[in-house]
Amino acid sequence: MLPEDCSQLPLRGFGTLTVHTTVLEHGRVRYSVRGPHVHGAFVVVPEILHGGPVIPKTVYVQFGDDTDGGGWYSPRPEEPKVRNARIHGFTDSIDPRTVTRRSHFLASLAVVLRDNGTTYRIPDGARALTEAVIVAIVKDWKQRPDRDDLLLAAARHKAETNAAHERGCAEKQEAELDSVRNDRVTARRRILQVAGLVRRRQPAVLPPALETVSLPFFDRTGARMGVLRVREKEVNALPGRVVYEVQGGRVRGTFAVGPDLYDTTSAIPQGIYVSYGHPSSSADWPRWSHECADEPTVNGVQLSGGWSHGGRSADITTTYPEHLPAQVRLGPNTSTSAPSATGRRASAVLRALALHYLARRDVDALRIATGKHRTAHTRAASRNELDRLRARERHLAASVRRHRTRERQFLDLLTAPAVQDPAPVIRLPQRGMELGQEAA
């Protein structure tokens, strides 16, 4: 006759397993087993996961006896011997409601550990017997009268850590939520600014100057590189842009200068954009391989493309930014960087022309002209951005509520009275959530 705390479990195809069970702390249960070709300890552990159910639904099985598990590749006391193979590690996650030998719970964390510390795959025969043993003890664990108490004990053990995790997630997302709300206010203000810009009267723009201007230009160290003779060819033919014809200082050709084409942060674009050549279209997004004429040469090298400066115009000086784009076209849609000496000279020319443009008395009128030309695009972009921010705000607000709710549920576990008698359903205080029910 077996002792009171012992029982026998049938192993389909492998005989009968004698088990001795011991309840450990934190909801763990040790199954000391002995049967045909198998003996040792298996510990069933309720699985507590960050972001998982407040009361766990799954378990894993630890091979060998340790309260909280030994180190990986460090043997544990009573690790099971199955067909003379010492099984080490853990199973993967197991759902006791659906566990079968086809559940593949020995996929990644269960190995055979040798005395020299090396590991290898569990042989097929030992694997089949190990699977049968685990299925038998997990099914037995599922039917224990104190199972709910075990789950609650495991949840209480990790409740403080999980509450801190949920609190950290909530605080991080609350900070992002504040930022998104500020961005939403900015996007809404930009839509109103665009509406106001449509109604605004266009200020007068000065006609092209008749005289040629001499502009010195400097490298990034402040050393003078020469003088440019600059003449205005067109003003505001392409909204907000001035087309300059440039000669001198080993530079010859046309440059177009205006507000930053890519600035969608405000109704009236700021920054600066300088293009190599004369864009032949007023499109907001020029295809340089098709839409520029009279591209300039610098040091005898013909350049294409342009420079977009989205920062404050006041940041631009005769020596800063130091390195600006200078591309040589290889084909209709391909290009490569210009030689370094050409790039340095081109950078100095771009800075000089940008400063010359920004010194115009009508620069604000030119910016307004660009903004008016782009109102449809800016309004659509702002509305799309506002829709995106609203959706993100809703998602973050819901996520914050979820994390705060879960934090309170974990904290409630810490203050819940200890369960005296097994019961089919144990309810959390003030929450009315059954064991195993996942947080909303």
Side-chain angles (χ1 to χ4, degrees):
M1 183 173 180
L2 293 172
E4 185 176 338
D5 58 353
C6 288
S7 60
Q8 289 187 326
L9 300 177
L11 296 181
R12 186 173 181 180
F14 295 99
T16 302
L17 190 68
T18 301
V19 301
H20 173 88
T21 59
T22 306
V23 176
L24 307 176
E25 60 181 353
H26 311 320
R28 297 165 175 249
V29 179
R30 178 177 61 226
Y31 282 75
S32 297
V33 309
R34 180 169 293 277
H37 307 292
V38 56
H39 66 88
F42 297 78
V43 181
V44 180
V45 185
E47 188 174 39
I48 308 295
L49 301 172
H50 284 324
V54 175
I55 303 298
K57 290 183 177 181
T58 57
V59 299
Y60 66 89
V61 177
Q62 173 186 296
F63 303 119
D65 187 11
D66 251 344
T67 301
D68 283 318
W72 188 242
Y73 299 151
S74 297
R76 297 188 183 90
E78 296 187 56
E79 283 187 328
K81 287 286 190 70
V82 182
R83 295 190 184 277
N84 294 321
R86 185 170 67 192
I87 310 300
H88 175 74
F90 311 86
T91 68
D92 293 338
S93 179
I94 298 174
D95 188 338
R97 299 166 298 180
T98 59
V99 63
T100 67
R101 287 177 56 186
R102 298 179 180 179
S103 300
H104 305 294
F105 44 75
L106 297 181
S108 58
L109 301 175
V111 294
V112 173
L113 180 65
R114 289 174 172 162
D115 292 336
N116 61 3
T118 61
T119 63
Y120 63 95
R121 179 183 179 276
I122 301 175
D124 291 343
R127 176 179 293 270
L129 179 53
T130 303
E131 289 173 345
V133 172
I134 291 172
V135 169
I137 64 177
V138 168
K139 287 184 174 180
D140 179 76
W141 177 91
K142 179 179 178 293
Q143 299 176 16
R144 291 180 62 93
D146 61 347
R147 177 177 63 90
D148 291 339
D149 291 4
L150 298 173
L151 293 172
L152 183 57
R156 289 168 67 105
H157 174 55
K158 295 291 186 179
E160 187 171 355
T161 300
N162 281 335
H165 171 76
E166 298 295 337
R167 182 165 54 253
C169 291
E171 289 172 352
K172 181 179 179 181
Q173 292 185 347
E174 284 167 348
E176 184 181 354
L177 182 59
D178 289 341
S179 176
V180 168
R181 284 171 173 163
N182 290 334
D183 291 343
R184 177 176 57 79
V185 171
T186 300
R188 178 62 181 164
R189 184 185 301 120
R190 188 159 57 247
I191 291 175
L192 297 176
Q193 290 171 346
V194 172
L197 183 61
V198 172
R199 297 189 297 268
R200 184 172 180 174
R201 184 177 62 86
Q202 171 64 52
V205 174
L206 298 176
L210 298 178
E211 68 278 5
T212 298
V213 178
S214 295
L215 292 180
F217 62 109
F218 304 86
D219 67 12
R220 60 189 179 90
T221 66
R224 183 163 170 163
M225 302 186 75
V227 176
L228 302 173
R229 295 186 298 278
V230 179
R231 183 177 68 86
E232 294 179 359
K233 292 180 64 177
E234 292 181 1
V235 174
N236 208 38
L238 304 176
R241 278 166 274 185
V242 178
V243 178
Y244 297 103
E245 186 179 71
V246 180
Q247 292 186 1
R250 286 183 276 173
V251 180
R252 179 182 297 273
T254 299
F255 297 79
V257 187
D260 182 21
L261 292 173
Y262 303 94
D263 179 17
T264 59
T265 61
S266 59
I268 300 176
Q270 303 301 306
I272 201 79
Y273 193 96
V274 185
S275 67
Y276 296 105
H278 187 314
S280 58
S281 167
S282 61
D284 289 333
W285 312 103
R287 296 186 301 277
W288 301 113
S289 58
H290 303 290
E291 297 186 4
C292 283
D294 196 18
E295 290 177 333
T297 59
V298 177
N299 286 352
V301 178
Q302 183 172 320
L303 302 180
S304 65
W307 163 43
S308 175
H309 181 77
R312 297 184 312 130
S313 299
D315 295 339
I316 302 172
T317 68
T318 56
T319 60
Y320 180 85
E322 296 181 2
H323 304 288
L324 302 179
Q327 299 291 315
V328 178
R329 193 189 319 282
L330 299 178
N333 298 299
T334 58
S335 61
T336 187
S337 297
S340 57
T342 300
R344 288 193 297 270
R345 183 168 291 269
S347 297
V349 173
L350 296 182
R351 291 192 295 264
L353 291 175
L355 292 172
H356 184 55
Y357 173 87
L358 293 172
R360 293 180 61 94
R361 288 180 296 151
D362 61 348
V363 66
D364 289 337
L366 291 170
R367 293 190 186 281
I368 291 172
T370 302
K372 280 181 165 293
H373 175 67
R374 301 183 63 228
T375 51
H377 171 79
T378 306
R379 182 187 290 114
S382 298
R383 285 175 175 170
N384 289 338
E385 177 68 1
L386 184 60
D387 290 343
R388 184 191 69 82
L389 291 170
R390 284 171 172 166
R392 182 60 179 164
E393 180 182 6
R394 290 192 297 270
H395 172 78
L396 286 171
S399 184
V400 167
R401 288 193 299 271
R402 183 168 59 253
H403 285 300
R404 288 301 186 187
T405 297
R406 288 170 58 80
E407 179 191 5
R408 290 192 299 271
Q409 290 171 341
F410 284 119
L411 292 176
D412 284 346
L413 287 175
L414 295 174
T415 59
V419 178
Q420 300 298 324
D421 299 309
V425 174
I426 298 175
R427 297 185 180 274
L428 299 178
Q430 303 176 3
R431 299 293 160 203
M433 181 169 56
E434 294 184 0
L435 288 174
Q437 179 179 343
E438 189 170 357

